[in-house]
Amino acid sequence: PPRGTVAQIYKHIFDDIAAAIPYLPATNQANNARGAVRAAHGVLARIYYYMGRLADANTEAQLVLNSQPSAIINYNTTSAFYMPVIALRANEIYARYSSNINGQDYPTIKFYKSYDPNDLRLRDYKFSKKGITPDERGVYYFVQNSAKANFGISEEEMRLIVAENAG
């Protein structure tokens, strides 16, 4: 069969989500890796954002944010080393994460140095090798433990979509 057009693919995605929403639980707080109404709206917000339809993205993101209390991680009191598992974190709306088996990610030095020296997230990076300059990749690594990066939908992403629309 011929490939579908971009418009056909988007329509198919929107139709599938609309058909699923009546059968989804309102929330997935017991396990954020499961689908829920707020997760479906989060996916819609992301898709509309990618399409450049910021007003629609904002509407969907607001639905997500209004569906339960705020839960953004406070890095003043939480280290990535001691964070709850991703499927149980309140800020994760739809958890999708890497299965990186060694539990460590090695960022580029450019990425590592992009942090402000006072950024509290730097506590979760470890210096792995003695006698090597900090300008070589592999010197710093991020200790994930239960703090795996979420590639799914998060409250922080929804807030950024709303902020983008406000600009």
Side-chain angles (χ1 to χ4, degrees), residues 9-111:
I9 299 301
Y10 279 131
K11 181 182 181 324
H12 186 76
I13 293 168
F14 292 137
D15 289 349
D16 279 356
I17 292 173
I21 285 176
Y23 301 99
L24 294 172
T27 185
N28 56 358
Q29 287 179 303
N31 183 346
N32 292 337
R34 303 273 185 199
V37 171
R38 68 190 307 255
H41 287 292
V43 171
L44 290 172
R46 180 184 281 177
I47 294 168
Y48 282 133
Y49 182 80
Y50 289 165
M51 294 173 73
R53 292 173 54 179
L54 296 184
D56 292 326
N58 183 65
T59 298
E60 296 294 335
Q62 288 290 356
L63 285 170
V64 173
L65 294 172
N66 293 338
S67 67
Q68 76 181 47
S70 177
I72 292 179
I73 295 169
N74 180 347
Y75 281 94
N76 289 302
T77 58
T78 305
S79 166
F81 195 75
Y82 298 104
M83 245 186 257
V85 295
I86 197 168
L88 301 178
R89 279 190 246 149
N91 68 307
E92 307 298 354
I93 295 161
Y94 188 49
R96 292 282 169 268
Y97 50 90
S98 167
S99 59
N100 178 354
I101 58 170
N102 71 3
Q104 299 173 351
D105 287 319
Y106 293 87
T108 64
I109 295 303
K110 181 179 179 182
F111 176 78

Side-chain angles (χ1 to χ4, degrees), residues 138-160:
V139 172
Y140 294 100
Y141 63 93
F142 181 72
V143 178
Q144 289 184 352
N145 288 348
S146 61
K148 295 181 184 318
N150 183 16
F151 304 112
I153 307 295
S154 69
E155 179 174 339
E156 293 84 350
E157 179 183 5
M158 296 298 104
R159 291 188 178 282
L160 287 170

